[in-house]
Amino acid sequence: MRSCDALIIGGGVTGTAIARELSQYRLKVILCEKEEELAFGVSKSNSGIIHPGTQNVPGSLKGRLCVEGNALTKAIARELDVDFKQVGELIVAFSQSEVGRLIRIKEDAQRLGVKGLRMVDNAWLRDHEPNLNPDIPAALFAPSAGIISPYRWVYALALNAQQNGVEIMTRTRVAAIERLSGAGRGGMFLRVMTTSAEYDARFVINCAGLHADAVARMAGIDDFSIRPRKGEEFILDKKREHLTNHLIFPLPTPVSKGVLMIKTSDGNPMIGPSALDTEDKDDLSTTEGGLRTVLADARRLVPSVSERDIIAYFAGLRPVAGDDFIIRHEDRASGMVTVAGIQSPGLTCAPAIAKLVSRLLKEHGLDLRRKIFFRRHRRAMNHLFSIPLSRTARLVRLDPSYGDIVCRCEMVSAREISDAIAEGATTMDGIKFRTRAQAGRCHGSFCTCRLMKILADETGRKVIEVTKRGECSEIVLKDRGDDQ
Ligand SMILES: Cc1cc2nc3c(=O)[nH]c(=O)nc-3n(C[C@H](O)[C@H](O)[C@H](O)COP(=O)(O)OP(=O)(O)OC[C@H]3O[C@@H](n4cnc5c(N)ncnc54)[C@H](O)[C@@H]3O)c2cc1C
């Protein structure tokens, strides 16, 4: 039996941001994630936008955390050497009659504290967004919107938390939570039974995304449920990188921000996401209907977008628990903290959620004393796709394995693959999310075998044991007597 001050359930952006935040205090913190690697839940399938806070109800928790999260993400990304780019967003009106709604969005956002907002007209749009539908009369410009790689963000938060002493356990599913009486200063301890060990924890922080309702029920909390809302997204060829200069939004619908033209930190533009309520928490299928809707809506924004530009697609499920986030200490189950319903803009809000959670822990008796040595900064691994060729040449001189290109589409070297494995990648998706190898137009046709070989060699496994994303996603079908 091991004990800790805080046990975090869920290794998505919310859980890892909380882990990093708590790692600056003298606490024993453990994070449990059921999947083979971190960021394999909702945090792997989103638009990667760091929203400015323009499309939230003024009094909402989401809205407040979004504005704060935007500023914090920018600052922490710099500390952790993660590629955040402040590209700005345009919310467009398709007719003069929609301009009034834009003005109301601007006023609401200003009340929330969003800075730098201004209306721009058709002439401005023609100058700054030549591919935009020329009939769009006006747009609201929000300069603080940005883009980030959601996976590299999660991995950076987690690695920095680990550097500062947080213990991260993947392949560890929380199966039961028991309330214990008569312990610690801030209330009762909780006993957490997982698939790998049992822990006594002063606080348990439930950031289990789509399964936060199931985890809450383990502790006797049953007043909310999570309903998934599916979003399908379509990735365009990198050749279309400069299709737009900003993130482009239509006016929001009652359930989502609408179909967007998305710039990504890796260069490939994306179109999407759709928004469709579903019952199935595992339904990550993409559909012909989703493609048609997204394509038609995207063409209203940028008419030249073509189906031929699409190189890949995915779906993500927003964990919806009503209109707003649920972030609270559970007085009925002392020590239990719920962080649920973290739908969009959860990626943006994560660092602000982390600060809110640490305040909740303090209010409920946790002594937050700062560590004398907190390692605030981290250097990211080199990514050849994001540096000039002159720097690549210097790296190759220092280490020739930078010149051994494994993924030709995205120019990923053997050295980067090794660095990703050293940082914790154990699956093919883990390598892809960290390096972009297999994420190009050929989808790994050229590099998959080589990647599997490197992954097997460097993790001491057989090639047939390599998986795409953990158990039951083996790439090579095992034949009787096959041993290699
Ligand atoms: C299509 C789409 C587009 C989006 N775009 C944006 C955007 O552009 N900007 C933005 O700000 N937000 C966006 N979002 C929202 C954002 O992705 C989410 O709010 C965020 O990723 C939620 O992170 P999380 O850590 O709370 O959940 P998750 O990433 O799902 O993490 C929860 C983790 O808990 C683990 N878990 C569950 N049960 C257990 C258990 N019993 N034991 C151990 N582990 C468990 C899961 O495996 C999972 O890894 C988008 C969402 C979608 C679906």
Side-chain angles (χ1 to χ4, degrees):
M1 179 70 61
R2 302 182 46 208
S3 62
C4 59
D5 296 296
L7 186 139
I8 301 166
I9 306 174
V13 69
T14 310
T16 52
I18 294 171
R20 199 259 177 177
E21 173 67 23
L22 295 182
S23 73
Q24 59 187 307
Y25 302 110
R26 295 190 211 176
L27 300 171
K28 174 76 198 149
V29 180
I30 295 174
L31 184 150
C32 298
E33 166 54 52
K34 69 178 169 60
E35 296 297 325
E36 170 87 19
E37 292 198 48
L38 303 174
F40 275 22
V42 186
S43 299
K44 77 169 184 314
S45 339
N46 57 60
S47 313
I49 298 172
I50 299 304
H51 293 284
T54 40
Q55 298 179 56
N56 299 292
V57 183
S60 65
L61 178 60
K62 277 201 293 206
R64 184 163 59 78
L65 294 175
C66 187
V67 180
E68 188 188 343
N70 177 289
L72 283 170
T73 303
K74 212 177 300 176
I76 300 173
R78 212 174 302 125
E79 290 172 356
L80 302 184
D81 200 11
V82 179
D83 44 354
F84 168 84
K85 294 189 190 104
Q86 189 171 320
V87 293
E89 77 176 26
L90 291 164
I91 309 175
V92 305
F94 284 108
S95 63
Q96 278 301 338
S97 61
E98 286 188 347
V99 174
R101 270 189 73 196
L102 278 187
I103 293 170
R104 280 195 299 282
I105 290 178
K106 178 169 177 260
E107 288 164 357
D108 284 350
Q110 279 168 332
R111 267 198 290 281
L112 271 170
V114 182
K115 299 268 187 322
L117 294 171
R118 70 187 162 101
M119 297 295 295
V120 293
D121 62 9
N122 179 275
W124 189 97
L125 291 170
R126 281 169 183 261
D127 260 10
H128 293 83
E129 284 295 353
N131 293 325
L132 200 65
N133 177 347
D135 298 332
I136 290 175
L140 173 62
F141 176 45
S144 58
I147 51 177
I148 201 163
S149 157
Y151 340 102
R152 290 199 288 278
W153 182 219
V154 171
Y155 296 133
L157 289 164
L159 283 165
N160 188 237
Q162 259 175 331
Q163 284 177 318
N164 286 298
V166 173
E167 199 175 323
I168 295 190
M169 316 280 297
T170 50
R171 284 191 291 164
T172 301
R173 177 193 292 272
V174 169
I177 300 172
E178 209 178 274
R179 289 191 240 161
L180 304 173
S181 54
R185 272 178 295 161
M188 292 182 287
F189 277 119
L190 295 151
R191 179 159 298 165
V192 180
M193 273 69 81
T194 77
T195 42
S196 52
E198 288 188 12
Y199 302 95
D200 277 355
R202 178 107 173 265
F203 286 94
V204 171
I205 306 162
N206 172 9
C207 317
L210 289 163
H211 303 282
D213 50 354
V215 168
R217 280 198 291 276
M218 292 177 195
I221 299 144
D222 58 3
D223 61 347
F224 69 91
S225 57
I226 304 285
R227 285 183 34 248
R229 183 170 296 146
K230 194 202 261 195
E232 294 179 42
E233 309 232 34
F234 300 86
I235 304 174
L236 311 189
D237 197 298
K238 230 179 198 168
K239 282 189 289 201
R240 302 290 262 156
E241 179 166 6
H242 302 293
L243 197 56
T244 66
N245 297 315
H246 304 87
L247 297 153
I248 314 284
F249 290 63
L251 282 165
T253 73
V255 293
S256 83
K257 297 180 182 69
V259 167
L260 327 174
M261 289 294 317
I262 303 162
K263 290 180 80 65
T264 67
S265 61
D266 293 330
N268 305 69
M270 287 202 304
I271 54 175
S274 55
L276 195 68
D277 289 336
T278 160
E279 296 298 316
D280 185 350
K281 292 184 177 180
D282 296 314
D283 176 12
L284 293 175
S285 59
T286 47
T287 59
E288 184 65 24
L291 169 64
R292 297 284 148 236
T293 312
V294 167
L295 204 53
D297 288 356
R299 279 188 182 141
R300 283 190 80 202
L301 298 167
V302 175
S304 64
V305 173
S306 151
E307 190 170 348
R308 283 196 305 275
D309 295 327
I310 297 173
I311 62 160
Y313 30 82
F314 63 86
L317 297 170
R318 305 168 183 88
V320 180
D323 289 338
D324 212 340
F325 297 161
I326 303 173
I327 303 177
R328 64 190 184 200
H329 175 265
E330 301 289 356
D331 293 335
R332 287 178 300 153
S334 198
M336 196 71 199
V337 175
T338 298
V339 186
I342 310 301
Q343 51 168 308
S344 186
L347 181 72
T348 309
C349 297
I353 293 175
K355 290 215 173 287
L356 175 57
V357 167
S358 85
R359 285 197 296 276
L360 279 177
L361 299 187
K362 191 172 176 193
E363 275 166 27
H364 287 83
L366 195 63
D367 187 9
L368 296 186
R369 274 179 302 143
R370 285 188 186 278
K371 284 178 181 155
I372 298 171
F373 297 110
F374 170 59
R375 297 173 71 178
R376 184 170 294 282
H377 297 272
R378 161 188 174 269
R379 267 298 300 277
M381 56 184 272
N382 288 310
H383 294 287
L384 300 191
F385 68 76
S386 65
I387 58 173
L389 273 175
S390 55
R391 222 180 118 205
T392 300
R394 273 204 303 280
L395 286 174
V396 173
R397 279 197 294 278
L398 286 173
D399 180 346
S401 65
Y402 276 116
D404 177 3
I405 299 301
V406 179
C407 168
R408 305 181 204 173
C409 301
E410 296 295 314
M411 205 169 90
V412 184
S413 64
R415 169 61 193 261
E416 289 160 85
I417 307 300
S418 299
D419 285 348
I421 296 167
E423 278 199 354
T426 56
T427 64
M428 295 293 275
D429 275 358
I431 290 182
K432 176 162 79 180
F433 294 163
R434 287 170 179 85
T435 65
R436 293 194 50 70
Q438 318 154 78
R441 212 178 222 292
C442 91
H443 301 297
S445 305
F446 285 103
C447 62
T448 296
C449 292
R450 177 90 195 276
L451 289 172
M452 290 173 69
K453 178 88 175 59
I454 300 176
L455 187 55
D457 286 350
E458 299 201 6
T459 55
R461 285 179 290 172
K462 294 175 188 156
V463 169
I464 55 168
E465 289 166 356
V466 168
T467 66
K468 179 167 163 50
R469 54 174 171 268
E471 225 179 321
C472 300
S473 64
E474 285 74 15
I475 295 162
V476 181
L477 279 182
K478 210 169 177 178
D479 201 2
R480 254 179 306 172
D482 195 350
D483 209 23
Q484 281 301 305

